[in-house]
Amino acid sequence: MLDRDCDTCHAASGRSPAYLNLSAGGAGLEPIGCVGCHGRAEDRGTNADCVDPGNPNPPCGDGVGLRQHHFNAGVTECDTCHLDAIPLNYTPVGEDVPPPYYFTPDPNHPTKPTDPCNPAGEENFFASVSG
């Protein structure tokens, strides 16, 4: 999806583990890992979004929509540390707001998706075997 720019999702220390909000940063991309595609910068810096509310440095709140999606599906582990995982505690920005990595033109990643849906509208876009 990102033209095999592994540093977009992985930290400089190695390929495992992969962190939700930390990476080495791909060519021309913020070093924010998964939330670059699955988060919104507009949700950063709220009091309820960080594991350590005393240190609300970005991108700690970017994944709130994904956490709430999991909470609504019955996966509630995140809410023990992330209060924003509970939908009653925080309203994330709408899905009409694109994630940080969804910009064009991007000459470093010409095949990167910029629409979360496939051409037929289904949301099952996935990467190649090598990411």
Side-chain angles (χ1 to χ4, degrees), residues 8-68:
T8 301
C9 300
H10 297 281
S13 59
R15 300 297 176 232
S16 181
Y19 299 98
L20 293 178
N21 64 352
L22 175 70
S23 69
L29 300 171
E30 292 181 85
I32 57 176
C34 301
V35 297
C37 290
H38 299 283
R40 305 295 190 278
E42 290 77 5
D43 286 322
R44 292 180 184 169
T46 64
N47 290 330
D49 63 0
C50 300
V51 174
D52 177 6
N55 184 20
N57 294 319
C60 60
D62 290 30
V64 62
L66 190 58
R67 287 190 291 278
Q68 288 186 5

Side-chain angles (χ1 to χ4, degrees), residues 59-130:
C60 60
D62 290 30
V64 62
L66 190 58
R67 287 190 291 278
Q68 288 186 5
H69 170 77
H70 287 108
F71 182 90
N72 288 333
V75 180
T76 60
E77 287 84 9
C78 298
D79 69 348
T80 58
C81 295
H82 297 275
L83 299 177
D84 64 359
I86 301 170
L88 292 175
N89 290 342
Y90 182 76
T91 302
V93 297
E95 290 192 20
D96 60 319
V97 177
Y101 291 172
Y102 276 47
F103 63 87
T104 56
D106 184 353
N108 295 315
H109 310 97
T111 64
K112 140 184 112 170
T114 56
D115 183 342
C117 297
N118 292 27
E122 69 275 11
E123 292 185 12
N124 65 352
F125 198 100
F126 61 95
S128 69
V129 175
S130 298

